Amino acid sequence: MSYIKTDRVGVIDSISALAAWPVGIFFKLLDYPLSAIQRLVGIHRMPWIFLLPNLTFFGIFVVIPLFINFAFSLTGGTELFLNNRVYTGTKQYGFLLECETFGDPITCREDRFWKGLYNTAIFIVFQVTFLVLFSLITALILNRKIRARGFFRAVFFFPVLLSPVVVALIWKWVLLRDGILNAFLVSIGMDKILFFVSPEWSMFWAVFVSIWAHMGFYMLILLAGLQAIQPDLYEAAEMDGTSKERVFWRITLPLLWPNLLVVVVLALIKGVQIFDEVFVLTGGGPGTATQFIVQYIYNTGFTEQVQNFGLASAASVVLGVVLFVLTMIQLAVTRVRDNG
Amino acid sequence: MTFEIGKLLAASTVAGAMMASAAMAETELRMMWYNDGNEGEVMQSLLDRFEAANPDISVKLDVVPYKSIMEGLPIQLAAGAGPDLARVTDLGGLNKFYLDLTPHISDTAYWEASFGPFLDWLAPDSDQISGFMTQLTVTGPYVNKTLFEQAEVAMPGEGATWDDWAAAVNQVAEKLDIPIPMAWDRSGHRVSGPAIAMGAQMFDAAGEPALVDDGLKEMTQRLYDWHQDGTMSKELWGSVSGSTYLGANEDFANAQVVMYMSGSWQIPQFADKIGDAFDWWAVPAPCGAAACTGMPGGAALVAMKDTKHPAEVGKLMDFLAQEESLAEFYGKTLFIPGHLKLATGGVDFATDDPRAKHALQTFSGAVPTISPVAFDLQGYKNNRVMFNALISRLNEAIVGELTLDQAYARMEEDIANQLAEKALE
């Protein structure tokens, strides 16, 4: 028996060695050019060489399009290629920012841009707040030793795996005039509610569906943070007779703070970029009640007969600036907290 | 063994080379297409016949959603990466991308005689021939006649106004508890016909767009009121934003709507989906103070100038535009012919459905009553700018974000801004 076992180990070792052989060869071959490069640039510049592939992709797909987008925002007309477009300077930004009263979108020349901004602001206030809150509560519950914990973790994470369009279609079928929810309301003697006709209901469902779809992802980040907290801290607190509330405020929350910050930053950025789910769910309606800034950009650039790429680009530059400012504020908050 | 492998490799190389040369000799044309009903199948059968007669040309029919035709195709064309041919409804709006087929077709006189007035829709500023109408459409209402009979309400007759119809459909809906008395496609094109019936002129004396006038206000005020009093459901128009198209065809097919303002292109779909479940009946365009008119329109198959095979495209278009090909196409698809001889001589439509036959008769018969203003609007290459401004701003008024007067002002601003942007080309 022991002979067979030894033999198996021998076979496994042989297979591993066989599999490792080409890898070894590969790295040996790689060593020659890398050594040559190191001799050429010096050891201190080698990290840049390793970063080069990633930086190249980042440059091609992020930085260059950023500059092209900015260049588009300084042009007008309907031509697609930049060299055929008419230079208009800051005219497009002037259109976007021409308002009698900034608090009232109807007084702005591009009223839909401002409605989109306000709607996005309202959306992220509610969506980010409740998303973080529900993700935290769910993570705290699922971190405890409850029955079928693995099952519930999978259930909460499952919507994250669905395409946003699928999520929106599922909920649309639930919420339509003849959908499941209205059928239920009628069955308990209530009247049907036309959810997508009311601006308030439409915004509510846009926020709700977005939270439902993304909560699992943020819950997972917080769960990882909770599991990284040393159990002996809780044991010590228990021995001291500390109340559960105090444990939460004094141990859990401070130690979870880095994860919470990541969740808030990601949720905020994703919130500002909201488009696909809501576009399929409400189409931006009723009226412009759930039309967010990205939908404004999409409509301006693509759905009209005169496709105004210049104005759409200018609006996306403004959106980019808003996102940049938000990220900087959050980084500043992190630094203050880390230093304090 | 080595010799055998050598022989095999040699044979494979020769076979591969032969296949490659055959493939290289074949010209592939790509046709972007969308479907309302069975027209894709009918077109494919015509293409199969064309390919059999022209083995050196293959045609790939790329069936895409209508939205891709409206939003994706213009970008593809602007990028120089469009198809060789496409079925489009923005007839004049895309005309800078069209190929002039004149040097590539065998008989330009036949094309001019067969498609005369519609060629202007495709090329408002020139004499070029770029394609032909796969269907002529006329907007107009359908009613659920069975519901009228069940409610014992008389259907308004010839010459009835929109107000007569609104009163009648409300009676039916009330008696039978139907949720939506009247529904319209959410489209500026659909609103334009009735607005012209009310006296809207759409253009000023110089021929420039002038959307807002008393005629337009007459009709839009009615649409606004009907949404407030429940004649029309806010769920249809109010539940999306901007110029998004939304049809009520599903609701009508499910007998949730008494009267549905749409157009002739719904006939094949209703014949298929509704069949004899109830009597769906096309009625003449209701009247306003100025006319009893719908809007003309349609879809056209056009050739694109970026094609690398203009001669082959011309050959294909010649084949498809022949009277026999189109008689078969229109007959099987139940489309109103966009070929003048077939329109006057009649087409043998492949249906025994009396409702479909009646609808075809109603819409074909409505063509002579269409207002010249409606033809001018359809022929105007920037008409979608007007349609989109009309529907999006009217919708914002209906849901209470704007007053009607604010909406009118915004419509005019939107049109002026977009045309100014386009003028920068």
Side-chain angles (χ1 to χ4, degrees):
Chain A
M1 188 68 187
S2 73
Y3 169 76
I4 295 168
K5 198 175 175 185
T6 312
D7 193 36
R8 269 189 194 157
V9 170
V11 169
I12 290 166
D13 284 349
S14 305
I15 292 171
S16 304
L18 204 66
W21 179 73
V23 178
I25 295 284
F26 173 76
F27 279 109
K28 266 187 185 163
L29 287 173
L30 199 65
D31 194 42
Y32 295 114
L34 286 178
S35 300
I37 292 170
Q38 189 174 316
R39 275 196 298 276
L40 202 68
V41 301
I43 194 163
H44 296 298
R45 293 199 184 94
M46 277 311 280
W48 288 105
I49 300 296
F50 291 118
L51 283 172
L52 196 62
N54 201 10
L55 285 176
T56 307
F57 276 98
F58 186 73
I60 291 172
F61 294 110
V62 178
V63 179
I64 294 174
L66 208 72
F67 283 108
I68 292 174
N69 184 69
F70 181 68
F72 260 88
S73 73
L74 302 176
T75 63
T78 57
E79 290 292 339
L80 184 62
F81 293 111
L82 205 49
N83 54 326
N84 296 331
R85 294 179 62 80
V86 180
Y87 175 74
T88 55
T90 55
K91 189 188 93 172
Q92 309 288 12
Y93 293 97
F95 280 175
L96 289 179
L97 303 175
E98 192 181 320
C99 270
E100 281 173 29
T101 315
F102 282 99
D104 183 6
I106 292 174
T107 65
C108 300
R109 181 182 174 131
E110 276 299 311
D111 57 332
R112 287 173 182 152
F113 170 75
W114 288 97
K115 280 181 193 166
L117 269 185
Y118 290 137
N119 289 340
T120 308
I122 292 167
F123 177 83
I124 56 173
V125 165
F126 287 103
Q127 196 252 14
V128 174
T129 307
F130 288 106
L131 181 67
V132 174
L133 193 67
F134 291 143
S135 301
L136 180 62
I137 293 169
T138 316
L140 286 169
I141 294 169
L142 293 180
N143 192 41
R144 302 176 72 174
K145 285 174 185 158
I146 57 168
R147 191 176 290 191
R149 186 168 66 166
F151 170 76
F152 283 114
R153 283 178 183 175
V155 164
F156 279 101
F157 189 72
F158 181 69
V160 177
L161 303 176
L162 296 176
S163 139
V165 175
V166 173
V167 167
L169 283 176
I170 292 170
W171 279 100
K172 196 166 186 167
W173 290 332
V174 170
L175 299 169
L176 279 174
R177 176 161 41 92
D178 295 319
I180 298 166
L181 188 53
N182 269 321
F184 171 72
L185 292 178
V186 170
S187 74
I188 59 169
M190 290 174 69
D191 287 335
K192 284 182 181 179
I193 302 173
L194 300 181
F195 293 110
F196 297 128
V197 169
S198 151
E200 294 78 19
W201 274 118
S202 292
M203 183 59 93
F204 169 81
W205 286 113
V207 170
F208 179 90
V209 170
S210 173
I211 291 174
W212 181 85
H214 300 290
M215 200 182 81
F217 175 69
Y218 299 107
M219 176 205 77
L220 211 65
I221 295 174
L222 295 177
L223 199 57
L226 286 172
Q227 287 175 354
I229 298 173
Q230 294 297 324
D232 50 4
L233 292 172
Y234 291 112
E235 284 163 15
E238 198 179 350
M239 285 168 70
D240 290 345
T242 316
S243 70
K244 283 183 179 172
E245 291 77 24
R246 197 172 166 79
V247 167
F248 174 75
W249 290 109
R250 293 301 171 113
I251 297 175
T252 307
L253 209 55
L255 292 174
L256 197 60
W257 176 250
N259 298 63
L260 263 176
L261 198 76
V262 167
V263 165
V264 171
V265 171
L266 289 179
L268 202 63
I269 291 171
K270 293 288 279 181
V272 176
Q273 292 172 336
I274 187 76
F275 173 59
D276 35 18
E277 285 148 16
V278 180
F279 184 65
V280 176
L281 185 71
T282 68
T288 53
T290 55
Q291 183 180 296
F292 299 121
I293 188 68
V294 179
Q295 191 185 341
Y296 167 82
I297 294 168
Y298 168 71
N299 286 345
T300 306
F302 300 106
T303 65
E304 295 294 334
Q305 187 180 27
V306 177
Q307 297 177 324
N308 197 337
F309 303 125
L311 195 60
S313 300
S316 48
V317 169
V318 174
L319 175 64
V321 170
V322 171
L323 279 174
F324 182 76
V325 169
L326 284 175
T327 312
M328 287 298 114
I329 290 170
Q330 280 169 340
L331 283 176
V333 170
T334 319
R335 277 203 200 104
V336 168
R337 194 178 168 88
D338 286 348
N339 295 337
Chain B
M1 185 63 184
T2 312
F3 176 69
E4 289 297 316
I5 291 171
K7 271 207 299 189
L8 194 66
L9 276 173
S12 308
T13 310
V14 171
M18 284 170 70
M19 282 167 68
S21 66
M24 282 167 74
E26 192 177 78
T27 302
E28 187 184 77
L29 301 179
R30 298 195 82 94
M31 182 187 289
M32 192 186 260
W33 189 265
Y34 74 93
N35 284 328
D36 279 326
N38 67 339
E39 61 268 37
E41 290 165 37
V42 182
M43 177 52 73
Q44 187 60 62
S45 71
L46 287 171
L47 294 178
D48 291 344
R49 220 174 301 155
F50 174 77
E51 285 176 340
N54 299 274
D56 56 330
I57 305 174
S58 74
V59 189
K60 179 95 175 67
L61 191 71
D62 295 318
V63 179
V64 298
Y66 181 62
K67 202 175 171 65
S68 301
I69 298 278
M70 298 305 284
E71 293 171 17
L73 180 63
I75 307 282
Q76 284 187 31
L77 292 170
D84 300 287
L85 305 108
R87 184 181 184 216
V88 299
T89 54
D90 187 6
L91 306 176
L94 295 173
N95 81 326
K96 68 175 177 177
F97 301 112
Y98 297 164
L99 172 72
D100 184 5
L101 284 166
T102 315
H104 308 292
I105 49 179
S106 56
D107 184 1
T108 50
Y110 165 78
W111 280 73
E112 276 158 11
S114 304
F115 308 109
F118 312 124
L119 295 176
D120 291 340
W121 288 359
L122 298 173
D125 308 322
S126 72
D127 293 331
Q128 77 174 44
I129 297 172
S130 300
F132 62 87
M133 302 297 287
T134 56
Q135 69 186 122
L136 188 65
T137 60
V138 182
T139 63
Y142 296 86
V143 293
N144 187 326
K145 198 175 161 198
T146 306
L147 293 179
F148 272 91
E149 287 161 4
Q150 287 172 350
E152 295 175 340
V153 173
M155 268 173 46
E158 197 86 20
T161 63
W162 277 106
D163 294 333
D164 298 334
W165 276 105
V169 296
N170 269 313
Q171 278 183 49
V172 174
E174 203 172 308
K175 280 193 175 180
L176 301 177
D177 200 20
I178 303 297
I180 307 171
M182 190 193 285
W184 290 36
D185 282 340
R186 192 179 185 279
S187 150
H189 182 264
R190 239 59 89 233
V191 178
S192 297
I196 292 167
M198 295 290 174
Q201 292 302 307
M202 300 292 170
F203 299 96
D204 61 19
E208 295 301 316
L211 179 66
V212 181
D213 60 13
D214 289 343
L216 185 106
K217 287 180 180 175
E218 279 271 324
M219 195 65 233
T220 47
Q221 180 70 54
R222 276 176 175 75
L223 286 165
Y224 177 87
D225 293 341
W226 289 340
H227 274 96
Q228 310 310 320
D229 69 17
T231 303
M232 292 176 74
S233 168
K234 278 188 185 173
E235 198 182 4
L236 287 171
W237 281 26
S239 64
V240 288
S241 69
S243 55
T244 307
Y245 170 82
L246 206 66
N249 46 327
E250 297 284 341
D251 289 309
F252 183 74
N254 289 325
Q256 301 286 295
V257 176
V258 184
M259 183 186 208
Y260 172 37
M261 173 63 180
S262 186
S264 56
W265 58 94
Q266 301 284 5
I267 297 171
Q269 193 193 134
F270 287 166
D272 180 46
K273 276 192 180 169
I274 304 174
D276 60 0
F278 61 82
D279 279 339
W280 50 277
W281 215 242
V283 294
C287 299
C292 313
T293 184
M295 270 293 289
L301 182 67
V302 290
M304 299 302 176
K305 70 177 177 189
D306 278 341
T307 179
K308 291 183 175 62
H309 314 288
E312 286 81 359
V313 168
K315 205 171 181 181
L316 173 63
M317 290 296 261
D318 253 342
F319 170 81
L320 294 174
Q322 289 313 302
E323 197 177 318
E324 312 82 70
S325 304
L326 286 178
E328 181 183 336
F329 182 80
Y330 296 135
K332 286 185 177 171
T333 54
L334 308 185
F335 285 161
I336 295 175
H339 181 286
L340 295 177
K341 194 172 167 198
L342 291 171
T344 48
V347 170
D348 184 17
F349 288 111
T351 179
D352 294 326
D353 187 334
R355 293 158 288 268
K357 282 188 169 173
H358 176 266
L360 283 162
Q361 207 176 355
T362 304
F363 286 117
S364 304
V367 176
T369 69
I370 293 173
S371 158
V373 178
F375 275 110
D376 288 346
L377 181 58
Q378 180 56 32
Y380 177 54
K381 68 176 179 180
N382 296 320
N383 57 16
R384 267 187 65 218
V385 171
M386 297 169 75
F387 296 149
N388 289 353
L390 169 56
I391 198 67
S392 58
R393 294 303 183 176
L394 175 58
N395 188 55
E396 286 172 30
I398 285 169
V399 300
E401 292 181 353
L402 300 175
T403 64
L404 268 176
D405 284 334
Q406 285 172 329
Y408 296 140
R410 283 290 180 181
M411 285 175 200
E412 289 183 327
E413 279 174 30
D414 288 351
I415 293 168
N417 288 343
Q418 292 207 35
L419 293 181
E421 196 66 25
K422 196 169 185 193
L424 288 173
E425 282 175 9

